[in-house]
Amino acid sequence: MTILEVKNLNLGFQCEDIFRQALFDVSFSLEKGEILSIVGESGCGKTMSAMSILQLLPKTARITKGEIIFNGENLLTKTNKDMQHIRGSKIALIPQDPMTSLNPLYTVGDQLLEIIKIHQGLSGDAAYQKAIEAFDMVQIPAAKSRLKNYPHEFSGGMKQRAIIAMALACQAEILIADEPTTALDVTIQAQIMTLLNEIKNNNKTSILLITHDLALVSENADKIAVMYAGRIVETANNKEFFTNPKHPYTNALLKSIPSNREKKLETIKGQPPTLSQQIDGCKFNPRCEYCMDICKKEIPNLKTIENEHKYACFLD
Ligand code: SF4
């Protein structure tokens, strides 16, 4: 069952008197109980696509076209008040740096209880029990005493678990995890991803995983969408993506995964374009080793091959 559908999303930034488009007809869907990963280099538009869902965008950003359908309703028609309710209780954000979500002046328990009070209308003992349950679910030991701690008394991994506990306490249907493990060491990264997978399987929670880490994606995502310069250039299920990648950019990304120590890692030449850079045709053409004349004149549309595998390239 499709829980979220982003359709033809166009977004740009007002830079003084010039409007610069950053997202071009971005479309993807998220099923109940699945992990969809959006991957790409910094600045490709993956975080902006995710933040559009929550409508947590910079002041200069403007959505000019598209729909974001959540449980049958277009989120782009919702008021700020509606969105405040949806954020946290229906769709929750797990940020890269959990300190940006935790207030250092209050105990983690107070912050969790406040969220339970706002989103579930519980108080007193009922709210306290819910907080303990949430800590148990994310495997924070000694929940009762840990609830009394301030954020600085938690390690990075524990802070991330506390953020996930806040999302679970509100029974969020979708978790948007924006580079959730980047700030953590490798062992803790694996623990957090195991926890997210357990939540997906046990609660049928859907997860939108934003990352540049393809090794993490290969082990965890059910479906992958690759973004380049504000466009989705390839999307496929995990098996298709890793066994039959089609877009030259996807292939270049895959060659840069550190999977084989014997093999020298390949890098992608050049840099992704900035918003102000004008590139005619396919935006990847200055970096593409297969670039043809047409690539400098026309923008390739997404074409579908088998199993909902789509890619945008003039190559067959
Ligand atoms: Fe390369 Fe052309 Fe395909 Fe773009 S359309 S990725 S430039 S071959």
Side-chain angles (χ1 to χ4, degrees):
M1 186 187 111
T2 303
I3 188 164
L4 180 84
E5 201 172 359
V6 173
K7 291 184 189 174
N8 302 107
L9 186 68
N10 284 257
L11 173 146
F13 293 93
Q14 194 65 45
C15 307
E16 297 184 344
D17 50 355
I18 299 173
F19 184 75
R20 299 202 188 279
Q21 193 163 346
L23 297 182
F24 301 81
D25 285 321
V26 169
S27 297
F28 56 84
S29 62
L30 179 63
E31 306 297 311
K32 197 164 174 58
E34 103 174 334
I35 298 182
L36 163 67
S37 185
I38 302 185
V39 299
E41 292 164 284
S42 297
C44 69
K46 53 191 192 302
T47 295
M48 274 309 129
S49 301
M51 293 304 139
S52 299
I53 297 166
L54 293 164
Q55 291 177 38
L56 290 175
L57 293 167
K59 278 206 178 89
T60 52
R62 186 154 44 91
I63 292 173
T64 52
K65 202 180 113 191
E67 290 179 315
I68 298 175
I69 309 293
F70 170 62
N71 279 338
E73 291 187 85
N74 185 2
L75 294 184
L76 296 182
T77 63
K78 299 284 176 197
T79 61
N80 277 342
K81 200 170 167 213
D82 292 337
M83 283 310 299
Q84 270 172 15
H85 174 69
I86 288 168
R87 286 193 289 264
S89 64
K90 306 270 185 206
I91 306 176
L93 176 68
I94 301 169
Q96 181 174 342
D97 179 2
M99 273 317 278
T100 57
S101 296
L102 292 170
N103 188 330
L105 301 178
Y106 295 92
T107 66
V108 178
D110 282 346
Q111 295 178 62
L112 178 55
L113 287 167
E114 180 69 11
I115 284 176
I116 292 170
K117 190 173 152 194
I118 293 170
H119 292 287
Q120 293 209 12
L122 298 176
S123 56
D125 267 1
Y128 185 66
Q129 280 314 317
K130 198 88 197 164
I132 290 188
E133 270 171 38
F135 263 29
D136 286 345
M137 277 172 85
V138 298
Q139 294 141 31
I140 293 180
K144 282 184 188 169
S145 65
R146 280 307 212 163
L147 284 169
K148 294 178 194 150
N149 287 158
Y150 285 86
H152 74 268
E153 295 174 278
F154 275 41
S155 65
M158 281 294 173
K159 283 188 203 111
Q160 204 57 298
R161 282 174 193 270
I163 297 286
I164 297 170
M166 290 177 186
L168 290 181
C170 300
Q171 293 160 334
E173 294 171 60
I174 298 176
L175 300 183
I176 296 182
D178 187 8
E179 306 274 8
T181 60
T182 304
L184 308 174
D185 70 44
V186 178
T187 319
I188 309 297
Q189 274 183 14
Q191 289 173 5
I192 294 292
M193 286 316 302
T194 302
L195 176 62
L196 289 177
N197 269 298
E198 282 171 13
I199 292 166
K200 176 193 100 163
N201 294 330
N202 298 342
N203 303 6
K204 290 277 166 275
T205 307
S206 307
I207 299 173
L208 185 61
L209 175 65
I210 310 296
T211 184
H212 62 274
D213 183 345
L214 278 174
L216 192 85
V217 168
S218 71
E219 284 163 21
N220 297 288
D222 299 299
K223 221 163 63 184
I224 297 114
V226 180
M227 285 193 79
Y228 188 80
R231 285 185 165 81
I232 293 200
V233 295
E234 183 152 14
T235 176
N237 66 37
N238 187 308
K239 188 167 172 232
E240 268 288 295
F241 185 84
F242 287 98
T243 57
N244 188 25
K246 288 290 185 187
H247 197 282
Y249 179 58
T250 308
N251 273 300
L253 284 177
L254 290 173
K255 283 183 192 156
S256 63
I257 301 182
S259 56
N260 185 346
R261 276 186 216 170
E262 312 277 297
K263 242 175 157 180
K264 194 168 165 255
L265 277 186
E266 291 187 31
T267 52
I268 309 173
K269 66 169 186 178
Q271 296 291 327
T274 61
L275 282 189
S276 58
Q277 222 169 321
Q278 177 67 37
I279 296 172
D280 291 333
C282 170
K283 294 272 191 283
F284 189 56
N285 81 56
R287 305 173 78 188
C288 182
E289 56 182 302
Y290 306 101
C291 180
M292 302 168 279
D293 283 349
I294 190 174
C295 308
K296 295 184 181 171
K297 294 179 194 140
E298 292 179 29
I299 298 169
N301 289 321
L302 274 173
K303 54 189 174 191
T304 304
I305 51 173
E306 55 187 292
N307 299 335
E308 295 193 42
H309 184 172
K310 297 179 190 176
Y311 70 104
C313 176
F314 292 116
L315 292 173
D316 283 333

